[in-house]
C-alpha cells in the first residue's frame, strides 16, 4: 500500500502543478522498465503513472531504450504512444516525468532539451539531475520537495 502511494506521489505533483487541470496536457514519460538495463515492466511505476495520466485525459508520449508496453492494455489507448527517442517524447510536451534512471537520460544536454521543448516542467522521479548543474546552466528553474526535484525551462 505504501509502495503504491509512492508511485502516485509524482502524479499528485503533476496535477498540482497544472492546477488540477490535466485535460489535453501532453506528458512525456522517460523509462518504462522497473529498473535500468532491463525490458521487464512488471511492477514498474511507469504503468501506474501512465494509467493515472490517461485517466486524467492527458496524452502520453513514452520512451524507453528497450522496454515497451506492447503487451499491456495501455498500448492500445488512443492517447498513448511510444517514441523512438527521448527527444521525440519531449517534443511539444508540457511536462516530462522520469520513471527509470537510464544512463542515457543522465547525459541529456539540457540546453538542447530547451531548444526542442519550448515550455517544459521536468518531474525528476529518479533524482538523476544535479541541482548545482541546473542552477549553473540557468536553463531550468527548479522546484524541490522532500522526495523529488522538479525543473522548469526558463
Amino acid at each position: 500500500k505504501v509502495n503504491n502511494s509512492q508511485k502516485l506521489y509524482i502524479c499528485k505533483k503533476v496535477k498540482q502543478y497544472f492546477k488540477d487541470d490535466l485535460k489535453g496536457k501532453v506528458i512525456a514519460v522517460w523509462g518504462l522498465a522497473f529498473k535500468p538495463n532491463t525490458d521487464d515492466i512488471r511492477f514498474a511505476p511507469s504503468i501506474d503513472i501512465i494509467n493515472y495520466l490517461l485517466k486524467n485525459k492527458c496524452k502520453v508520449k513514452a520512451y524507453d531504450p528497450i522496454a515497451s508496453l506492447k503487451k499491456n492494455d495501455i498500448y492500445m489507448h488512443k492517447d498513448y504512444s511510444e517514441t523512438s527517442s527521448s527527444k521525440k517524447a519531449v517534443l511539444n510536451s508540457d511536462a516530462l516525468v522520469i520513471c527509470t534512471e537510464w544512463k542515457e537520460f543522465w547525459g541529456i544536454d539540457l540546453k538542447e532539451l530547451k531548444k526542442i521543448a519550448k515550455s517544459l516542467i521536468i518531474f525528476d522521479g529518479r533524482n538523476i539531475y544535479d541541482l548545482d548543474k541546473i542552477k549553473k546552466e540557468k536553463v531550468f528553474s527548479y522546484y524541490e520537495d522532500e522526495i523529488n526535484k522538479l525543473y522548469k525551462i526558463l
Side-chain angles (χ1 to χ4, degrees), residues 7-8 10-11 29-35 40-54 60 62-64 67-69 72 74 80 82 97-100 126:
K7 289 179 188 178
L8 295 180
I10 203 162
C11 296
V29 174
W30 283 358
L32 299 172
F34 84 97
K35 67 179 185 176
D40 192 349
I41 60 167
R42 292 174 296 160
F43 311 112
S46 62
I47 294 173
D48 292 322
I49 291 167
I50 291 168
N51 272 323
Y52 179 93
L53 294 170
L54 292 171
V60 176
Y63 171 72
D64 188 287
S68 173
L69 299 184
N72 189 293
I74 291 172
Y80 176 79
E82 291 181 8
V97 177
I98 302 173
C99 293
T100 311
R126 306 310 301 168

Side-chain angles (χ1 to χ4, degrees), residues 13-137:
K13 288 294 181 182
V14 171
K15 193 170 186 178
Q16 181 181 30
Y17 178 80
F18 289 110
K19 297 176 176 60
D20 294 334
D21 183 16
L22 293 176
K23 187 175 181 181
K25 298 294 183 208
V26 180
I27 311 296
V29 174
W30 283 358
L32 299 172
F34 84 97
K35 67 179 185 176
N37 304 315
T38 183
D39 65 354
D40 192 349
I41 60 167
R42 292 174 296 160
F43 311 112
S46 62
I47 294 173
D48 292 322
I49 291 167
I50 291 168
N51 272 323
Y52 179 93
L53 294 170
L54 292 171
K55 284 178 186 170
N56 280 274
K57 310 289 189 227
C58 293
K59 295 184 185 311
V60 176
K61 298 191 306 180
Y63 171 72
D64 188 287
I66 61 174
S68 173
L69 299 184
K70 286 182 181 170
K71 295 181 180 178
N72 189 293
D73 291 341
I74 291 172
Y75 193 79
M76 299 306 292
H77 195 286
K78 67 179 178 62
D79 290 325
Y80 176 79
S81 63
E82 291 181 8
T83 65
S84 59
S85 75
S86 56
K87 290 180 181 176
K88 285 181 182 177
V90 168
L91 186 66
N92 298 319
S93 292
D94 297 298
L96 165 63
V97 177
I98 302 173
C99 293
T100 311
E101 63 275 21
W102 284 95
K103 290 289 183 196
E104 174 183 333
F105 304 152
W106 296 31
I108 295 289
D109 181 339
L110 298 176
K111 290 179 181 174
E112 185 67 27
L113 194 62
K114 181 178 179 175
K115 287 179 188 174
I116 63 169
K118 293 182 185 152
S119 176
L120 180 76
I121 178 88
I122 299 176
F123 296 86
D124 186 357
R126 306 310 301 168
N127 292 321
I128 64 173
Y129 292 118
D130 177 8
L131 190 55
D132 290 334
K133 181 179 178 186
I134 297 286
K135 289 178 183 178
K136 183 179 171 187
E137 290 190 9

